[in-house]
Amino acid sequence: MPKMQAAAPQRSIQGLSEAYHPPGQYFVADEFAPVLPVDGTRFAYHTFDTIRQRILQDNTRAPGGDVNEVRWDVTENTGMTVERALQSAIDRKTVRDFGRSIAEDRAMRAVKDNMLIQREERIRALIQTEANYPSSSYYTTLTGTSQWSDLENSDPEDDVRTAIEQVLSASGLLPNKIMIPYEVANKLVQHPVIKDVMIRDTRGSQSEAFKNDPNVNGLPSELWGLSVGVPKVTYVDSNPGQTESQAFLWGKKVWIGYVNSQPSVDTPSFAYQFTAQGLQVGIGNSNIAGGGEYVEGVEDDLQKVVGTRMGYLISAAVA
């Protein structure tokens, strides 16, 4: 295997992809599944599937009597992180024609953007897979006039409040996040219920209040007490040799749930990214005949749902 040198602390290597895809405007994996560092590839973690700790126990004690026991009821599990890596050659012709910096940046972009999209896809799969929820009480599919693209008949607020009530009653935690993918946000921003929210909040017209916030695509940054995130990342969904086409990764599924702002192994949240090594990008040199310099990206992590009752999924939110 080609030997890779330590990641160089060059701004062009580590920073260009974030400039190309600004955090929060495209990728939302870290926002909805916080990163939780772990020591080593094998680690222990908790899942929070019951709310027994909220059962009221009698705390009175007769003189010399026994005391009732209470506990923080969690399930202990073990996991193992997965190493992930990609490489892209630093093209010699590009070095000759345009300079080394541009050649490195192109290779870095190819590696880093692909690594970020792959991570985003892992979180998308966790959130949008119905089998990761305890029962059908935690997800629904909208059809016909109930879809939010029907501006006259649908009721997005009622759908979201149903989700909030389900999560709160089952987990004891009030949801604090709503993910509204770009294709849904583009329709929802036109909905009368959104305009009603703005009127109730006395923030004036949509253009006056939100024109300078690209992160949420014209929506309020908070809806019904939930912080809004609008993922916009796209990927090429055509096969090699076909006319290239792109699709939005997150599709048309809305997610409502609880995300802990202070992640730790003992604090509940819907999902975590257990990370032994965050994404590192560096330059290596292949000793294989015909080889050359390349950019390699490496990370070591595992994404897991740890609070199955702390999320709610709405599929086919718009037509």
Side-chain angles (χ1 to χ4, degrees):
M1 179 178 178
K3 185 177 180 181
M4 178 186 168
Q5 69 185 49
Q10 300 176 26
R11 188 172 185 83
S12 62
I13 290 294
Q14 295 289 0
L16 184 134
S17 191
E18 282 87 345
Y20 184 58
H21 284 323
Q25 290 190 27
Y26 294 87
F27 300 104
V28 298
D30 294 356
E31 181 180 349
F32 288 88
V35 172
L36 188 57
V38 294
D39 294 325
T41 58
R42 182 177 291 275
F43 62 95
Y45 68 97
H46 290 152
T47 52
F48 305 84
D49 293 328
T50 66
I51 55 173
R52 189 176 302 169
Q53 63 270 16
R54 293 184 178 273
I55 295 175
L56 296 179
Q57 293 279 13
D58 184 7
N59 62 359
T60 59
R61 178 173 66 177
D66 294 329
V67 178
N68 285 329
E69 179 186 4
V70 295
R71 57 178 176 158
W72 182 246
D73 198 8
V74 298
T75 302
E76 186 169 322
N77 307 269
T78 57
M80 182 173 291
T81 59
V82 178
E83 185 178 26
R84 313 173 197 277
L86 288 173
Q87 292 182 356
S88 181
I90 298 175
D91 185 67
R92 294 168 181 171
K93 185 176 185 301
T94 303
V95 173
R96 184 174 63 249
D97 294 345
F98 297 99
R100 183 172 183 82
S101 177
I102 288 179
E104 288 181 357
D105 285 350
R106 287 182 181 178
M108 186 283 309
R109 180 180 296 177
V111 168
K112 197 167 186 181
D113 282 2
N114 199 293
M115 294 287 284
L116 291 173
I117 290 172
Q118 294 279 5
R119 185 195 302 166
E120 193 87 354
E121 165 59 18
R122 294 194 295 274
I123 298 303
R124 184 210 63 77
L126 283 185
I127 288 176
Q128 295 187 354
T129 298
E130 293 178 353
N132 287 335
Y133 297 83
S135 72
S136 59
S137 298
Y138 295 83
Y139 52 84
T140 189
T141 300
L142 303 183
T143 60
T145 58
S146 67
Q147 291 179 294
W148 299 350
S149 45
D150 188 326
L151 304 182
E152 293 184 5
N153 298 298
S154 63
D155 191 345
E157 182 172 0
D158 184 66
D159 295 331
V160 171
R161 292 196 182 282
T162 296
I164 292 172
E165 183 178 352
Q166 174 62 34
V167 172
L168 177 59
S169 62
S171 70
L173 295 168
L174 184 67
N176 56 1
K177 296 276 190 178
I178 180 170
M179 180 192 295
I180 307 175
Y182 175 83
E183 291 179 283
V184 179
N186 220 25
K187 296 285 187 180
L188 187 60
V189 73
Q190 306 171 46
H191 203 286
V193 74
I194 298 301
K195 297 176 181 178
D196 182 54
V197 167
M198 291 188 288
I199 291 173
R200 280 184 284 172
D201 290 352
T202 65
R203 286 182 285 186
S205 70
Q206 175 187 337
S207 60
E208 291 172 347
F210 307 113
K211 63 181 178 181
N212 293 321
D213 192 351
N215 287 357
V216 291
N217 203 50
L219 291 170
S221 56
E222 184 176 292
L223 279 172
W224 309 299
L226 305 169
S227 176
V228 176
V230 180
K232 307 176 188 67
V233 67
T234 60
Y235 70 102
V236 176
D237 66 343
S238 53
N239 294 322
Q242 297 180 336
T243 301
E244 182 174 308
S245 61
Q246 296 203 29
F248 288 98
L249 183 70
W250 287 90
K252 300 176 181 179
K253 297 183 179 183
V254 171
W255 182 83
I256 298 98
Y258 177 76
V259 178
N260 203 305
S261 60
Q262 297 180 313
S264 78
V265 71
D266 208 34
T267 56
S269 195
F270 178 77
Y272 281 134
Q273 299 183 69
F274 299 99
T275 303
Q277 176 184 310
L279 179 58
Q280 298 291 319
V281 181
I283 301 174
N285 196 321
S286 173
N287 297 319
I288 300 174
E293 287 188 302
Y294 58 87
V295 170
E296 179 168 292
V298 179
E299 62 184 344
D300 196 347
D301 59 18
L302 183 69
Q303 290 75 25
K304 297 288 290 185
V305 173
V306 297
T308 60
R309 291 175 169 81
M310 298 171 196
Y312 188 100
L313 185 65
I314 300 176
S315 296
V318 297

